[in-house]
Amino acid sequence: MHDAHHTIHYTLMICPLEMPLEKKEKGDCDVFGFCFDAEFRNTGLERAESLAKDLEWFKEQGHSIPEPSFPGLNYSAYIEDLSKKDPQAFISHFYNTYFGHSAGGWMIGQKVAQTVLNGKKLEFYKWDGDVSQLLQSVRDKLNRVAENWTREEKNHCLEETEKSFKFSREILRLILS
């Protein structure tokens, strides 16, 4: 049961990033002219629906779903703020989260399925289509968006990576506690 609890916490990690994108209206551009709909909606990497299915499965297995706690709520507020006023920083979190979940996350998902879930593969680790192609498509979109950035904006995006990892570490600490 303790291992399943950790698995539930891990699958909740993706939610803060998808919330700002879901709140944007289709075709909505911010003051920077950065259109979330045009570039980063429906990439095939979204995990919210898959996560909802997994959480429902955990409930059916008799596990309680934890309420969001400080690390996730803090990250969610931070990401929402970035999505409104700092596209370069938001892109850093977007990249680190989605590319991490689809690469290293897939390996973790396999291990969890084998050792904790009696071979059950969570929906979170299933994609519609070839994940390599989905990642390449998103990488191409990211490159198109960033090609018009100044060197200062590109550096700002890279510098935000440290904060992205900091938030991820805080959430992982919660999972492992």
Side-chain angles (χ1 to χ4, degrees), residues 56-69:
E56 187 58 37
W57 180 82
F58 277 112
K59 279 186 201 177
E60 290 169 3
Q61 304 307 305
H63 299 287
S64 62
I65 307 304
E67 291 295 319
S69 57

Side-chain angles (χ1 to χ4, degrees), residues 36-53:
F36 287 87
D37 180 57
E39 297 297 335
F40 299 106
R41 280 185 186 263
N42 303 317
T43 63
L45 297 178
E46 294 80 14
R47 303 287 78 202
E49 283 185 35
S50 298
L51 175 60
K53 290 176 185 176

Side-chain angles (χ1 to χ4, degrees), residues 124-153:
F124 188 84
Y125 300 106
K126 298 177 185 177
W127 285 268
D128 293 329
D130 180 347
V131 73
S132 297
Q133 290 176 346
L134 296 172
L135 289 169
Q136 186 58 50
S137 176
V138 170
R139 191 177 292 114
D140 292 344
K141 290 176 183 183
L142 289 168
N143 288 335
R144 279 194 304 274
V145 168
E147 71 187 14
N148 295 317
W149 289 353
T150 65
R151 171 50 39 205
E152 184 177 288
E153 290 170 325

Side-chain angles (χ1 to χ4, degrees), residues 10 14 33 53 62-63 78 94 114 121 132 141 151 162:
Y10 179 74
I14 194 69
K53 290 176 185 176
H63 299 287
Y78 183 73
F94 180 94
Q114 293 169 356
K121 185 174 181 180
S132 297
K141 290 176 183 183
R151 171 50 39 205
E162 184 177 335

Side-chain angles (χ1 to χ4, degrees), residues 70-86:
F70 178 75
L73 294 171
N74 187 35
Y75 190 35
S76 179
Y78 183 73
I79 289 294
E80 186 160 356
D81 187 50
L82 290 182
S83 76
K84 293 175 184 171
K85 64 182 182 184
D86 194 343

Side-chain angles (χ1 to χ4, degrees), residues 1-10 58 62-64 66 112 115-117 173-177:
M1 181 97 132
H2 188 63
D3 289 333
H5 183 75
H6 288 143
T7 302
I8 293 168
H9 272 292
Y10 179 74
F58 277 112
H63 299 287
S64 62
V112 167
T115 59
V116 178
L117 303 175
R173 277 191 209 109
L174 173 66
I175 294 167
L176 298 174
S177 65

